[in-house]
Amino acid sequence: MKFIDDIRRENLALLITELGSSKALAELLGRDAAQVSQWKQGSKNSRTGRRRGLTDETARWIEDKAGKPSGWLDIDHGVIPSIERITLSAPMRAWEHVKEFPHAGPVFIPSLTVESSLQDVNGQVTISLVNMTCHLFDSDFIAADQLSPAALGVVLAPDETMQPTIERGDRCVVDTSQTKVQDGRTFAIYYDGLMRLRRLFGIPGGGLRIETDNSRHPTLVLTKADVDHVTIIGRVVQRSGIGGL
């Protein structure tokens, strides 16, 4: 059996992995890296000899800043499949196929990790979507928008280029079945070796205009030939965090 302090430290390490570094988490929280490291390691209590843990208040604050649902830090994510062991105000269900989709209540949506591999035959880059950890979302938006559950996955906003609509670290649900450009909609795309979130606009002749919501970042206009180097992963259909679609 794990203590809640140990579970919270493990989940803090998961957050650090998702964001790429302790520094990235520190920047997201507005704290210095030393503080984050102290939370992760847990300094020992001189009286009890046990490592100090996060207070409930601090845990909820971190979850809010990181775009995680309340209580996320308290769940042992190593046992997510054993849904019945998790006690919340409403039952949670995990699903992979459309026929298993619950029409109401919270559901787990898997993460999408974008990986690329160079094919020697033609030099093209292949994108693989890999199920990793799961994220808790309410299922209402899935039914309301008539989305295909099996096509959904979650990516974390990697930077501030879509502020104020999407903040760095926000959890964004991507519908991988929607890869056709819809003018003005936000998509997860892959180009220049990175996954990015951008608004897309089609250009007559087969070109593409790629925009951010942050005025500090320029618009990119691609010719039809350049578009071949962009992979559209899917359209962003929901987000959780401090931004706002």
Side-chain angles (χ1 to χ4, degrees):
M1 178 179 175
K2 294 181 181 178
F3 291 104
I4 187 65
D5 291 343
D6 295 326
I7 293 174
R8 286 176 176 173
R9 275 191 289 270
E10 289 177 2
N11 289 334
L12 199 63
L14 280 179
L15 273 179
I16 291 171
T17 299
E18 287 182 358
L19 293 173
S21 67
S22 295
K23 181 180 178 181
L25 178 58
E27 291 176 352
L28 179 66
L29 299 177
R31 297 295 179 88
D32 58 50
Q35 175 68 76
V36 171
S37 178
Q38 187 177 52
W39 285 334
K40 180 184 175 184
Q41 300 301 327
S43 58
K44 283 190 177 182
N45 185 308
S46 58
R47 183 172 59 84
T48 65
R50 287 188 57 192
R51 292 193 293 174
R52 290 187 175 89
L54 295 171
T55 65
D56 290 345
E57 182 179 4
T58 299
R60 302 293 84 81
W61 175 77
I62 291 174
E63 289 163 350
D64 181 65
K65 287 287 188 179
K68 299 294 186 183
S70 180
W72 184 87
L73 281 170
D74 299 349
I75 298 172
D76 185 351
H77 297 287
V79 294
I80 281 181
S82 301
I83 305 290
E84 67 279 2
R85 294 179 59 184
I86 305 172
T87 303
L88 292 179
S89 58
M92 293 185 294
R93 285 172 274 185
W95 47 265
E96 293 181 357
H97 305 291
V98 176
K99 65 181 181 180
E100 300 172 352
F101 174 61
H103 294 287
V107 292
F108 284 121
I109 301 178
S111 294
L112 295 181
T113 297
V114 183
E115 298 180 342
S116 63
S117 59
L118 190 62
Q119 299 179 353
D120 294 333
V121 177
N122 51 25
Q124 292 183 345
V125 174
T126 299
I127 307 301
S128 301
L129 302 179
V130 184
N131 290 350
M132 301 291 282
T133 56
C134 293
H135 303 262
L136 185 64
F137 278 84
D138 193 282
S139 65
D140 289 349
F141 79 96
I142 302 173
D145 294 340
Q146 297 184 326
L147 302 174
S148 173
L152 303 181
V154 177
V155 299
L156 296 182
D159 50 39
E160 76 291 346
T161 53
M162 290 300 290
Q163 289 177 336
T165 311
I166 299 174
E167 298 285 344
R168 179 177 181 177
D170 280 3
R171 298 177 304 143
C172 298
V173 180
V174 176
D175 184 349
T176 60
S177 70
Q178 299 191 47
T179 57
K180 184 177 180 179
V181 174
Q182 300 175 42
D183 287 351
R185 295 300 188 100
T186 302
F187 287 81
I189 62 176
Y190 185 92
Y191 71 93
D192 285 348
L194 294 173
M195 190 282 294
R196 310 162 192 262
L197 301 179
R198 297 288 190 271
R199 292 194 188 279
L200 301 183
F201 298 83
I203 297 176
L208 186 67
R209 189 168 83 249
I210 302 175
E211 294 188 355
T212 69
D213 284 2
N214 188 330
S215 60
R216 292 182 298 172
H217 297 268
T219 295
L220 182 63
V221 178
L222 303 180
T223 64
K224 182 178 180 179
D226 293 331
V227 170
D228 292 339
H229 301 291
V230 177
T231 298
I232 299 178
I233 301 168
R235 185 171 74 85
V236 176
V237 294
Q238 183 66 294
R239 53 147 295 284
S240 175
I242 58 178
L245 287 176

